[in-house]
């Protein structure tokens, strides 16, 4: 069985923002059996020698699939998709999934993550710096809007792990109005988060912390 090393204790402000959500969603979506091993981040367990032995940067999440240890959310999701037989068989579609996984994490996410951190108070930044990040983010959002013309999902006709990564990246700006100018992207985001596997993930995740889904919306 796959073990997901996820957050067990973490400061309240980041509950609902942690990246183990992405991995748990993939596990639920793909129907792979797993268990969650909660890590006490607040208590520094991630910095201890046992966890450092499986996580190169002492970061969460990590999975252990009967001795195959994988860190980094993009790598984890691609590994899980491969294991579940959920990557496309044809080369062009497979390449599209890889491309859009990388695009979500390396092109779209950086400014959005920094906007979220500024808004949460976790990163210093004035209004001018935030505006520059918003302009940066809009370049990525505009590209996504163009890509989604005539498409339901970002990489292929079917929902893939690239959609999990992109939707959870976009979720970081859910408390802003940034998606308002991109109707196709807004519809895509809503469509992804309406999936039953995401709803199950939120319920299981909040249960870990003794919270409700409404608490992290």
């Amino acid at each position: 069985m796959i073990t997901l090393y996820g957050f067990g204790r973490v400061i309240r402000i980041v509950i609902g923002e942690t990246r183990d959500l992405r991995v748990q969603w993939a596990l639920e979506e793909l129907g792979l059996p797993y268990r969650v091993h909660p890590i006490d981040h607040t208590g520094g367990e991630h910095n201890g020698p046992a966890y450092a032995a499986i996580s190169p940067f002492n970061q969460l999440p990590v999975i252990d699939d009967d001795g195959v240890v994988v860190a980094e959310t993009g790598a984890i999701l691609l590994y899980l998709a491969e294991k579940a037989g959920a990557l496309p068989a044809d080369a062009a579609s497979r390449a599209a999934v890889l491309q859009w996984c990388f695009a979500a994490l390396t092109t779209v996410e950086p400014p959005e993550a920094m906007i979220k951190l500024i808004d949460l108070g976790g990163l210093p930044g004035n209004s001018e710096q935030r505006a520059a990040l918003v302009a940066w983010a809009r370049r990525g959002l505009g590209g996504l809007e163009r890509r989604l013309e005539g498409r339901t999902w970002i990489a292929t006709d079917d929902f893939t792990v690239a959609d999990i990564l992109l939707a959870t990246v976009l979720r970081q700006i859910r408390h802003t109005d940034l998606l308002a100018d991109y109707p196709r992207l807004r519809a895509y985001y809503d469509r992804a988060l309406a999936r039953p596997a995401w709803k199950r993930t939120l319920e299981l995740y909040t249960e870990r912390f003794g919270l409700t889904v409404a608490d992290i919306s």
Side-chain angles (χ1 to χ4, degrees):
M1 180 180 289
I2 295 167
T3 298
L4 165 60
Y5 291 86
F7 290 88
R9 284 183 67 221
V10 69
I11 59 172
R12 175 63 183 87
I13 198 170
V14 300
I15 296 176
E17 310 299 327
T18 58
R19 293 183 180 186
D20 51 341
L21 266 168
R22 303 174 182 186
V23 178
Q24 192 158 9
W25 183 3
L27 288 162
E28 289 291 325
E29 194 78 51
L30 296 167
L32 294 170
Y34 71 96
R35 69 181 189 92
V36 177
H37 181 109
I39 296 292
D40 182 0
H41 188 273
T42 305
E45 185 180 358
H46 61 299
N47 288 322
Y51 192 71
I54 62 169
S55 179
F57 305 109
N58 302 91
Q59 294 177 338
L60 286 76
V62 168
I63 63 164
D64 183 342
D65 181 16
D66 292 327
V68 178
V69 177
V70 189
E72 302 295 329
T73 53
I76 293 171
L77 264 63
L78 287 168
Y79 173 86
L80 294 175
E82 179 74 38
K83 179 182 178 70
L87 287 178
D90 67 285
S93 296
R94 194 180 186 93
V97 173
L98 295 173
Q99 173 185 322
W100 288 100
C101 283
F102 282 101
L105 297 175
T106 63
T107 298
V108 182
E109 183 166 39
E112 296 185 8
M114 286 188 274
I115 289 167
K116 178 188 73 175
L117 286 171
I118 288 174
D119 290 351
L120 288 175
L123 186 71
N126 56 36
S127 58
E128 185 176 319
Q129 291 167 326
R130 190 182 185 282
L133 289 170
V134 167
W136 179 12
R138 285 191 180 281
R139 290 198 292 274
L141 298 177
L144 294 170
E145 181 76 2
R146 291 190 299 275
R147 169 69 178 176
L148 285 167
E149 184 174 3
R151 291 180 170 274
T152 301
W153 303 115
I154 198 65
T156 71
D157 291 341
D158 298 318
F159 184 85
T160 69
V161 289
D163 296 296
I164 292 177
L165 289 172
L166 181 56
T168 49
V169 165
L170 294 172
R171 187 173 174 270
Q172 295 180 98
I173 53 170
R174 67 191 182 279
H175 297 306
T176 75
D177 62 356
L178 273 171
L179 291 182
D181 294 333
Y182 309 96
R184 287 192 290 266
L185 186 57
R186 177 76 228 194
Y188 164 86
Y189 173 76
D190 292 340
R191 194 159 54 243
L193 268 59
R195 293 180 70 84
W198 170 246
K199 295 181 178 181
R200 288 197 306 274
T201 299
L202 287 178
E203 290 168 0
L204 292 166
Y205 177 91
T206 50
E207 187 178 287
R208 250 193 272 164
F209 297 99
L211 298 173
T212 68
V213 173
D215 293 326
I216 64 168
S217 298

